[in-house]
Amino acid sequence: MSFRIERLALEHLNGAAAVLVGAYSGPPWNENWSLEAAVENVKTVLETPRSIALAAIDGGKVLGIALGIRQRRHAGPVIYLDELSVLPEAQGRGIGTALLSAVFEAAKAEGCNSVWLVSQRDGALSKFYQRCGFAVGGNLGLYSKSSA
């Protein structure tokens, strides 16, 4: 399989949303994303100034996406990687690694001193991010509150 990494454009919006739906539908997430919610998620990042939205594309089909939002922190600008998703049938072929590398390079080119993300602390995803050079933040927790 050959693919190229390019900036995500509106013409790929539905393909990018389909990646989110497919990537989150199975383990470890088992989430039931609607295409409408996924389109809104991708579109929000595309409309955010100075965001980084990349896609892995093969023959016009979106195989994976990386969506990052620039934020200002005490030590300077960073990219918060909101989404890194690859279609289940395309996983294990270097697409996620290529997208992460491209995000990091784009972040550096735009003056950001780091890329950070939230994911599972253990398991295959954690090992993947660590192989790609990310470190687990030992002093951080993920907090949430919902009305349901």
Side-chain angles (χ1 to χ4, degrees):
M1 167 184 295
S2 64
F3 62 89
R4 67 186 184 287
I5 305 294
E6 61 183 59
R7 290 280 179 166
L8 185 63
L10 280 176
E11 69 188 74
H12 296 118
L13 182 60
N14 287 334
V19 168
L20 279 180
V21 170
Y24 281 99
S25 66
W29 307 114
N30 300 311
E31 294 178 354
N32 187 19
W33 278 76
S34 69
L35 191 58
E36 178 185 9
V39 164
E40 183 179 334
N41 185 296
V42 175
K43 198 171 180 186
T44 296
V45 174
L46 285 174
E47 293 172 348
T48 301
R50 300 177 81 183
S51 65
I52 295 176
L54 303 174
I57 298 176
D58 182 17
K61 182 176 181 176
V62 179
L63 302 175
I65 60 169
L67 306 175
I69 297 176
R70 184 186 175 107
Q71 297 181 347
R72 179 67 187 195
R73 297 292 182 199
H74 70 284
V78 302
I79 294 293
Y80 168 64
L81 187 59
D82 186 50
E83 297 291 347
L84 177 70
S85 301
V86 177
L87 287 172
E89 63 269 21
Q91 291 175 4
R93 300 179 184 161
I95 294 169
T97 302
L99 283 165
L100 271 180
S101 178
V103 165
F104 194 73
E105 290 305 313
K108 283 193 325 187
E110 294 181 21
C112 295
N113 57 21
S114 66
V115 175
W116 64 280
L117 58 92
V118 175
S119 190
Q120 293 183 323
R121 181 174 289 279
D122 299 309
L125 288 173
S126 178
K127 291 175 186 170
F128 166 73
Y129 288 121
Q130 290 178 57
R131 279 194 313 270
C132 290
F134 285 76
V136 177
N139 61 345
L140 299 176
L142 175 63
Y143 297 85
S144 68
K145 181 178 179 179
S146 66
S147 60

